[in-house]
Amino acid sequence: MSPSAQIEGVWSEQDTTPAAVEAALRHLLVEAHTEEHGYVPARVLNTIIIVDRQFKGEIANRLERVGRYHPSRTILVAVEPRRKTMDAYVQIAVEHADGGITVGTESVEIDIGTEHLSVLDTIVDPLLVPDLTVLAWAPHGHRDAIDALRRLVTVVLIDSAQQLNATDAIKRAADVANDAYIVDLAWLRSTPWRERIAATFDPPAWRQSLGEISGISVTAREDSVVAGVLLLGWLSCRLGWEASELIKQDDVYMGSAHGKRQDIKIRLYAQADLEVPGLSGVQIETASGTKLSLDRGPGGLQAKRVTRDGKESTWVVLGASRGESGILGEGIRQALLRDPTYRPALECARQFLGTV
Amino acid sequence: MATTTQPAENPLTEGLERLPVHPTTLVIFGASGDLAKRKLMPAIYNLAHEGALPERFNLIGCARSDWSDDEFRDVAREAIEKFSRRKPDPTVLDSLLSRARYVPGTFDDPGVFSKVAEIAESEDEEAGIPFNRIFYLSVAPQFFETIAEQLGQTGMNKREGAEVRIVVEKPFGHDLESALHLNNALLSVFEEKQIYRIDHYLGKETVQNTLVLRFANGIFEPVWNRSYVDHVQITASEEVALEGRAGYYDNAGALRDLIQNHLLQLLMLTGMEPPVSFSADDLRDEKVKVLHAIKPPKVEDVHDMAVRAQYSAGNAGGKDVPGYLDEEGVKDGSVTETFAAVRLMIDNWRWAGVPFYIRTGKALARKGTEIVITLKPVPHLAFEQQGSLGVHPNQLILAVQPNEGVSMSLMAKIPGSRMRVRPVNMEFLYGTSFLSQSPEAYERLILDTMRGDATLFARNDEVEAAWRIVDPILEAWSKDTDPIPQYKAGSSGPEEQDSIMINHDHWRQI
């Protein structure tokens, strides 16, 4: 629920059933229409979020911060070990919009036990708005829940960076991608970097330098190495490099890729002491001696280009940090779009991590 | 014959939502003005916030106010903080403004333009690449020609290795003659492909959605013609009155202010044939054909197809509104229309015989812009009418603002044992169906200018064709000695608006 929304109607029941919850949703919708003539239920996205019950408040707070354009029907599944019954709480919230209409969003909170996860699809299926995209997100793991939902969901939101083992994260992403479209927050953290690298080499005079790239190093926070590997995977598949497995030594992944003209030296640094998740710097070198660097800084990315003759140029590539709530909001928005470059990048990333 | 080698495609751009934009220097003439403060600066900031500006971007302000760079930065900061749709991030705002420059002076002073050139060139030199240059004319129309001339004389109208574009704000002329004069003046310095005439209506998502609705859905296009459409109404009603714009408005009036540009644009998008592609020229070629198919009225026929009126004292939006003639800044005895309605016929195969009604006005009952397509009634009704609200023809309503969306009225059976019917609505609302916030029209249009995409800008032939339709109406009204009809502020407009309706058509309630 966004901060400016007002609660319009609520319903709750202990030891309930999906059919009772669905009936409550219908009843609340009719009530809202009766009381508020301009009431229009938002119809954007069904979102199923599976969380550990003890942390559900934290996830609800994260969702609140994604802004006004949140999912229209949210089903928050709170999992509690040893619980045998299902409790549910349904709420319709409204927000006044321009032109005298009132936009309503529906949220359902369901408390279930671990034993219910394998049949989660039969619990949430009746609660979904038909014909809308279904997004599933399990920020606390619960792979079994996502697996149970595979027949229902169109999109799975993951954060590969949440798993400390980059190899496992990439493997899991590739597996889920077989059944659903993946929106990976780790990939979205690399978006501004991908955009800027693309822009840097876009002027016709500099485009040919793409074929001359001879080295690239990426620095990421320790828990965001996957974002770095995905960036390398993206460059590798877009530029037609043959990737080979990176070797990890201490906090550095080292290796190379084979380009059409020359080999590309690759370094991925995992740094523990960075303030925010994601990437913090990218350096690219070309065979002709040009060095380009992009580093996170105030107001955007600090860019520096040094040519072979030592001429240096620095500038700021403007852009605000989206923050973690912004990344999550972007993830939800991306559920309704399709990025054709993620899966090829994921495949190339698997080659860098030797998981093919 | 010399051949030009096109650079290879950039393989890194595939799949990116924000495509790279060539490094750009944006020069705003009239940087101290209201439009710059309310719209342009906030739009530029929001583009910066989202990382949508070119990777390398320079801003140069130019106006008469005798400011230093720092004073300009302060004014720009204040404007952005006040008018931006989002709270500015101080680090982005600092970075954006830290390199902003300002050149004070009058637009007839060649020294001003030399200084602008000097700054822009030094930026290019520092970056080692020629930046594209955009000259944004956010100034009163009398300066358009002077600025264009000066840009030509200082050689800033073209640049080796980069693109130069000029952005012109409406009004594009005061009548056909002045529009032709302005176009000739601009075209004597710039090529048409360099000229971007902003009609900010075209930057609105719902206006663009008109094209998607028509050409990406199989359901509508088969009925989008004279066989099924009874008539079309395009309405732009404003709840507000003059709001301090008497200086401009009293010289312009409703016909020039909205119908000649925004509403004829909506008419073109509604009436055009499918374009071959959505490239700037393919789209505009089809749009302008619609205007060419409208026969300009004869001056003596104007009273049959156009109505004008002026608001009298009343109450609009809960506030007392003085009569137009009592508004501050309005000339005594002014006959400027604050309401205008016209009936146009598009004489082509698709639309022959289908009236297009267009109206706009100030101080009306409520704010709203919509395109309403009324379909022909069913030929025979087998159901009983008694006890029903009556069978109404289907209407497709494209709401541009404030309820951005599409709705369709359908007939449905009233629950009960008898077969009675009443109209119901099937609705799509942007606010309930999309997750993202629409950017301001100016953000989209400034970005398109930087990208070199003129699709959403008016071309010279569109502007001239629009004036050809509007000119005879203006001429007839200028000769009309009858008192201008009145309507009460806060009402749905003058009764006289019904006089231009034919075939028993009637206006939709405002």
Side-chain angles (χ1 to χ4, degrees), chain A residues 204 207, chain B residues 3-9:
Chain A
R207 210 170 289 174
Chain B
T3 54
T4 315
T5 311
Q6 290 294 320
E9 289 287 308

Side-chain angles (χ1 to χ4, degrees), chain A residues 42-44 69-70 98-99 195-196 198-200 202-203 207 210 234 238 299 313 315 318-320 332-334 341, chain B residues 7-8 10-12 14 16-18 20 48-49 51 53 55-56 89 91-92 95-96 129 403 429 432-436:
Chain A
R43 289 289 176 255
V44 185
Y69 294 87
H70 42 77
D98 287 342
E195 286 175 350
R196 293 317 170 185
T200 299
D202 198 59
R207 210 170 289 174
L210 279 172
W234 169 73
R238 301 306 321 150
S313 172
W315 67 98
L318 297 167
I332 293 171
R333 193 179 76 86
Q334 288 286 334
T341 58
Chain B
N10 178 354
L12 300 183
E14 189 180 336
L16 294 179
E17 243 186 301
R18 277 185 289 268
H49 185 105
L53 281 181
E55 184 184 285
R56 306 189 77 159
D89 175 325
T91 61
V92 178
S95 295
L96 172 68
I129 185 171
N403 274 343
L429 289 165
T432 63
S433 302
F434 288 99
L435 290 166
S436 52

Side-chain angles (χ1 to χ4, degrees), chain B residues 60-216:
Chain B
I60 304 173
C62 181
R64 274 177 300 183
S65 305
D66 190 19
W67 294 336
S68 64
D69 288 340
D70 281 341
E71 283 169 313
F72 171 60
R73 290 170 191 150
D74 289 344
V75 170
R77 179 184 301 277
E78 197 181 320
I80 291 164
E81 284 169 349
K82 190 169 175 187
F83 296 114
S84 167
R85 68 182 163 92
R86 59 157 67 88
K87 192 172 184 299
D89 175 325
T91 61
V92 178
L93 189 52
D94 285 348
S95 295
L96 172 68
L97 296 178
S98 65
R99 293 175 60 87
R101 302 291 303 273
Y102 182 76
V103 180
T106 55
F107 303 132
D108 55 359
D109 175 4
V112 167
F113 293 82
S114 306
K115 183 69 185 166
V116 168
E118 185 189 315
I119 294 171
E121 268 156 36
S122 72
E123 307 274 14
D124 289 9
E125 204 168 302
E126 189 192 321
I129 185 171
F131 283 29
N132 285 350
R133 288 180 188 170
I134 295 173
F135 300 108
Y136 199 118
L137 274 49
S138 174
V139 296
Q142 64 263 33
F143 298 115
F144 290 170
E145 203 176 328
T146 312
I147 294 173
E149 264 174 26
Q150 293 281 4
L151 289 169
Q153 280 167 14
T154 46
M156 282 199 285
N157 54 335
K158 48 185 182 285
R159 179 152 180 76
E160 183 76 31
E163 303 287 339
V164 177
R165 301 180 188 117
I166 185 165
V167 183
V168 187
E169 273 285 343
K170 72 158 195 156
F172 315 121
H174 194 69
D175 52 20
L176 177 60
E177 191 186 341
S178 57
L180 286 167
H181 180 85
L182 174 62
N183 277 338
N184 287 338
L186 291 173
L187 288 167
S188 68
V189 180
F190 294 93
E191 292 176 48
E192 176 58 32
K193 66 177 185 186
Q194 294 178 280
I195 304 169
Y196 286 66
R197 297 173 190 82
I198 279 211
D199 185 325
H200 74 268
Y201 253 51
L202 292 177
K204 289 181 185 289
E205 290 286 341
T206 37
V207 172
Q208 294 161 45
N209 191 47
T210 307
L211 296 172
V212 177
L213 183 95
R214 285 192 59 194
F215 302 129

Side-chain angles (χ1 to χ4, degrees), chain A residues 82-282:
Chain A
R82 291 181 296 282
R83 172 181 268 277
K84 299 287 179 196
T85 58
M86 173 176 140
D87 296 348
Y89 170 82
V90 179
Q91 173 186 292
I92 288 191
V94 296
E95 194 160 357
H96 294 287
D98 287 342
I101 63 163
T102 305
V103 180
T105 54
E106 303 133 320
S107 54
V108 180
E109 278 184 33
I110 304 173
D111 291 344
I112 57 168
T114 317
E115 67 179 48
H116 296 110
L117 289 180
S118 60
V119 290
L120 187 59
D121 56 333
T122 63
I123 295 173
V124 298
D125 197 349
L127 311 181
L128 302 174
V129 181
D131 303 324
L132 291 188
T133 296
V134 181
L135 169 79
W137 179 39
H140 301 141
H142 299 299
R143 287 185 177 190
D144 43 353
I146 294 292
D147 289 341
L149 291 172
R150 284 196 190 199
R151 74 170 179 88
L152 287 182
V153 300
T154 9
V155 183
V156 176
L157 185 77
I158 60 171
D159 189 353
S160 301
Q162 277 186 333
Q163 300 170 59
L164 279 177
N165 186 321
T167 308
D168 267 3
I170 294 284
K171 246 185 182 169
R172 173 68 180 167
D175 177 41
V176 178
N178 289 326
D179 287 322
Y181 179 72
I182 296 278
V183 174
D184 188 344
L185 300 185
W187 173 248
L188 299 184
R189 287 191 191 93
S190 74
T191 304
W193 302 84
R194 286 182 281 117
E195 286 175 350
R196 293 317 170 185
I197 293 169
T200 299
F201 289 97
D202 198 59
W206 295 342
R207 210 170 289 174
Q208 63 182 23
S209 309
L210 279 172
E212 297 173 3
I213 292 177
S214 58
I216 175 160
S217 65
V218 178
T219 306
R221 197 167 87 168
E222 194 177 35
D223 60 5
S224 302
V225 162
V226 173
V229 181
L230 285 170
L231 179 79
L232 291 170
W234 169 73
L235 269 174
S236 178
C237 66
R238 301 306 321 150
L239 298 177
W241 300 345
E242 280 174 37
S244 45
E245 188 175 347
L246 302 177
I247 309 297
K248 190 179 180 204
Q249 274 189 0
D250 299 325
D251 294 329
V252 188
Y253 292 77
M254 295 183 290
S256 64
H258 184 62
K260 284 174 190 146
R261 293 191 206 165
Q262 68 275 312
D263 281 353
I264 298 99
K265 187 178 154 190
I266 290 173
R267 296 286 182 273
L268 171 57
Y269 299 94
Q271 262 183 258
D273 56 351
L274 295 173
E275 273 181 27
V276 287
L279 307 179
S280 70
V282 173

